[in-house]
Amino acid sequence: MVSFDVVSLFTKDPIQLALNIMVSLDLVSLFTKVPIQLALNIAKQRLQSDPDLSQCTGFSTSDLMKGLEICLISTNFKFRGKHYKQVLGTAMGSPVSSVVANLVMEDIETRALETFTDPPHLWKRYADDTFVIMKRSKLSKFLTHLNKIENSIQFTMQKEKAGCLPFLDLLFKHSPSGHLLSAVYHKPTNPFR
């Protein structure tokens, strides 16, 4: 379903790819790098600004925040018979981690896109993977800008090669007319290819 949605977004209008480039941005260890205090601040802000919160739950914002804080700071795990406390980021596998990571990512991308002088032509994110089309001449500056938004959240970039770029389970290729073409993509490590 994700692939279908992505393809429909990208294939509508021609893009001037002579001046632009397709890139895929990926986050380095998203869950274990999410700043807990930032996550709590964003969650609190979102809850306080939700006009329908009282219709969804009988809990106050304060009660919800106390529960979220307990979930985010009570991250103990066992490895090779020893118990550890995770001190950075959110716990992988915790039901709340993906929600919190997404809130933080929304905040970071909003700040990055709103404060860059010449933002990307196209920005589509799925979890920690982002498909971007932007001016070739601005690419390096934008990546530097993006990586300065939040020190613990760092992006890596894969540029298109020969007009093609794999993203999630799709391979995008730009046609001479400027439209994006897509095909199913199997990573070389996929045993079912």
Side-chain angles (χ1 to χ4, degrees):
M1 183 162 158
V2 171
S3 297
F4 177 77
D5 292 343
V6 170
V7 170
S8 68
L9 290 171
F10 297 154
T11 56
K12 291 180 183 175
D13 299 318
I15 296 169
Q16 300 299 321
L17 288 166
L19 302 173
N20 294 294
I21 187 170
M22 295 184 294
V23 297
S24 174
L25 299 173
D26 191 23
L27 280 140
V28 179
S29 305
L30 173 61
F31 291 111
T32 57
K33 300 289 183 160
V34 170
I36 299 301
Q37 193 54 56
L38 176 63
L40 290 169
N41 292 345
I42 294 167
K44 184 176 182 180
Q45 179 185 28
R46 295 292 278 278
L47 289 169
Q48 288 175 332
S49 65
D50 185 349
D52 300 321
L53 182 64
S54 63
Q55 295 170 358
C56 298
T57 181
F59 293 107
S60 67
T61 296
S62 177
D63 291 338
L64 291 169
M65 289 307 302
K66 286 176 190 172
L68 180 59
E69 185 173 9
I70 290 169
C71 290
L72 293 178
I73 64 171
S74 302
T75 51
N76 299 299
F77 61 94
K78 187 177 178 179
F79 179 70
R80 294 187 178 168
K82 288 188 173 185
H83 291 271
Y84 297 90
K85 177 176 175 49
Q86 183 174 333
V87 294
L88 296 174
T90 62
M92 290 180 66
S94 168
V96 75
S97 292
S98 59
V99 174
V100 168
N102 193 52
L103 285 173
V104 169
M105 284 305 304
E106 285 179 10
D107 176 73
I108 290 169
E109 70 187 9
T110 298
R111 287 190 281 153
L113 295 171
E114 287 178 354
T115 57
F116 193 68
T117 54
D118 198 359
H121 176 68
L122 181 70
W123 174 280
K124 296 295 177 186
R125 181 176 57 86
Y126 179 76
D128 64 346
D129 296 306
T130 308
F131 183 90
V132 177
I133 296 177
M134 70 178 306
K135 289 181 182 174
R136 291 175 192 272
S137 62
K138 302 293 182 180
L139 190 57
S140 180
K141 280 186 177 180
F142 182 70
L143 183 62
T144 300
H145 172 75
L146 188 58
N147 282 333
K148 287 182 178 179
I149 298 293
E150 194 61 47
N151 288 335
S152 65
I153 304 290
Q154 297 296 298
F155 293 81
T156 60
M157 179 180 12
Q158 178 183 357
K159 296 178 185 178
E160 68 177 72
K161 291 181 184 170
C164 296
L165 181 71
F167 180 71
L168 301 176
D169 59 351
L170 295 169
L171 179 67
F172 286 98
K173 180 178 181 175
H174 46 84
S175 70
S177 68
H179 287 88
L180 288 176
L181 307 175
S182 62
V184 174
Y185 176 73
H186 298 286
K187 292 182 180 182
T189 56
N190 183 336
F192 302 107
R193 41 178 221 146

